[in-house]
Amino acid sequence: MKLVPTRPVTILSVRHGERWFPFLFRHTDGSLLMYIGHGHDRNFAPHHRLRSLDGGRTWLEEQENVPRPAWCHSFSDGELLEVDAYGFQDPKAPDTFVYYGAWSFPSEPQRKTVRGTLRVRNPSSSLTPLNKLLQAYPTHPWWPLYNGLHRKAELRGDEVLIGGPNFGSGIEHEGHLLVAGYATHKDDAATGAHSAFCYASSDRGRTWEEWGLVGRGTKETGEGFNEATIVALKNGQLYQVLRSGKSLYHSWSSDGGKTWTQPEVLRLVDSDYQPRMAWPVCKVLEDGTLVLVFGRPGKHMVFDPSGTGKQWQGRLDLHAWELDTQALMGVPTELQLHGPTEQGVRYWDSADYLACVPIGPREMLVCYDVQGYYENWNSLPVSGVRMVRVRLED
């Protein structure tokens, strides 16, 4: 078996401005939802939403429901949950963090979108004063949230405390909505090392509990454990792939996400290449096969035909494929994408955060952003999103 890509195409581009971190989801009604950051790669950067009704060929821009979506989930009845990126401590419940949330029915525009808040109880989370993150975008979209929590119109930056999980991916499992998230453990605030958690909700995402600790972070991995993806395996186990500062790790749970195996380094069975390090996204195909995308440095995709997380193989180098495509279109070598973006050149190259969604039994769409990108020998540089179809073939 092998992963076979088509030629990537540009689905969004702007001559002036930036487009970052496309996150791609498939809604219950079959439409595709894409969330994209616009502006510099900083805290509180705004995002917007696109939707495709034809499998990714064309995209419609829609009104965003939360300022900076971090994750969304589609329920079987067509309701869409969207969760914002930033949680603020409730001063009356210090272990609880409040986020913007929205519940809507994208395919039924006559139904009113409910914009509100969700609450996450995360007693292990550390706290960060807002004024430590203010070297970023204006935080005015969040003023009503934290002003309402403190019940006063004027607040100092050190009064507003940010904490709780950074949401990653989620699934429905045994009557709960489970999400993979990360936070700095309150006992690790001095080091800043992240820890990976599993969170659970039984009321469609309105309230959440710290459900299980996946991996306690240490500086031995560079960053601790943070960005994560969660899936249910065909054998009934839950499975997470985790970012660290050096390598990708993975972990399993046999009790619905309450306890997890000690994270171990994820390795390929057919190559000495060591997968690392940013934004792993894992998906389960119809027959149980797993596919995984990850980046920085580069853009990569692997698969596991066993469906266990223990037989990763068949690495597809999408960065090399992009360079081959640019060369085919006559782009001079010095104007092609550079890499490696872990050295900090992503601002004129790519964030190397990949999105992936299955669109058939063995077919996936993969997206990534590009910066200062030349599509052909006669083009001007743009910031945009590239998409490639990848098929798993025997």
Side-chain angles (χ1 to χ4, degrees), residues 209-229:
E209 291 288 335
E210 183 180 310
W211 193 246
L213 175 65
V214 183
R216 180 74 176 272
T218 70
K219 281 299 185 179
E220 293 178 2
T221 64
E223 301 172 352
F225 299 115
N226 46 43
E227 297 166 349
T229 180

Side-chain angles (χ1 to χ4, degrees), residues 11-311:
I11 62 170
L12 175 68
S13 68
V14 292
R15 181 69 181 91
H16 302 288
E18 295 180 313
R19 296 294 181 264
W20 288 103
F21 308 114
F23 304 147
L24 187 60
F25 301 92
R26 188 172 188 174
H27 188 45
T28 309
D29 63 7
S31 64
L32 298 175
L33 300 171
M34 182 182 293
Y35 298 88
I36 305 167
H38 51 274
H40 296 289
D41 175 18
R42 304 297 296 271
N43 279 308
F44 306 107
H47 284 52
H48 62 278
R49 187 175 91 181
L50 303 180
R51 188 156 68 111
S52 175
L53 304 175
D54 57 7
R57 292 173 178 83
T58 59
W59 295 85
L60 307 170
E61 185 170 346
E62 299 185 324
Q63 179 62 40
E64 65 276 6
N65 291 322
V66 295
R68 181 172 174 160
W71 171 67
C72 72
H73 179 76
S74 298
F75 295 99
S76 60
D77 62 0
E79 187 175 46
L80 176 71
L81 164 66
E82 294 168 289
V83 180
D84 192 71
Y86 295 101
F88 299 90
Q89 184 193 49
D90 183 345
K92 294 185 177 180
D95 63 357
T96 298
F97 302 88
V98 184
Y99 296 70
Y100 279 133
W103 293 260
S104 64
F105 290 82
S107 58
E108 301 179 52
Q110 72 279 7
R111 299 184 66 164
K112 183 179 180 180
T113 296
V114 177
R115 295 181 178 88
T117 60
L118 55 92
R119 299 173 65 85
V120 183
R121 185 174 178 274
N122 191 185
S124 297
S125 174
S126 66
L127 300 170
T128 301
L130 177 64
N131 57 0
K132 286 194 174 181
L133 297 180
L134 287 183
Q135 298 300 314
Y137 284 82
T139 63
H140 64 85
W142 292 269
W143 290 353
L145 178 54
Y146 53 71
N147 285 351
L149 289 172
H150 288 262
R151 298 186 182 277
K152 56 181 180 178
E154 296 185 6
L155 291 165
R156 300 189 314 273
D158 60 355
E159 292 181 273
V160 181
L161 298 177
I162 298 175
N166 293 272
F167 282 77
S169 73
I171 57 172
E172 290 183 71
H173 185 73
E174 296 180 349
H176 290 94
L177 189 56
L178 301 180
V179 70
Y182 71 91
T184 299
H185 196 283
K186 61 184 179 182
D187 294 336
D188 299 325
T191 68
H194 298 135
S195 292
F197 296 88
C198 183
Y199 300 87
S201 172
S202 58
D203 57 4
R204 290 195 169 223
R206 287 169 172 81
T207 59
W208 295 81
E209 291 288 335
E210 183 180 310
W211 193 246
L213 175 65
V214 183
R216 180 74 176 272
T218 70
K219 281 299 185 179
E220 293 178 2
T221 64
E223 301 172 352
F225 299 115
N226 46 43
E227 297 166 349
T229 180
I230 183 173
V231 295
L233 304 179
K234 62 183 181 181
N235 64 9
Q237 288 183 306
L238 300 182
Y239 177 65
Q240 287 200 36
V241 180
L242 312 164
R243 167 180 170 167
S244 76
K246 296 180 180 179
S247 304
L248 291 184
Y249 283 69
H250 51 176
S251 178
W252 292 260
S253 173
S254 299
D255 59 2
K258 293 182 179 179
T259 62
W260 294 80
T261 62
Q262 177 64 31
E264 58 189 69
V265 175
L266 185 153
R267 303 188 188 279
L268 306 183
V269 298
D270 63 343
S271 169
D272 291 333
Y273 178 86
Q274 179 56 58
R276 56 182 298 265
M277 73 172 187
W279 200 251
V281 176
C282 186
K283 299 294 181 180
V284 183
L285 303 185
E286 289 184 8
D287 65 355
T289 297
L290 302 178
V291 292
L292 176 70
V293 295
F294 55 93
R296 200 181 293 175
K299 306 166 181 66
H300 310 275
M301 189 173 190
V302 293
F303 66 94
D304 177 358
S306 75
T308 64
K310 299 179 180 180
Q311 294 292 318

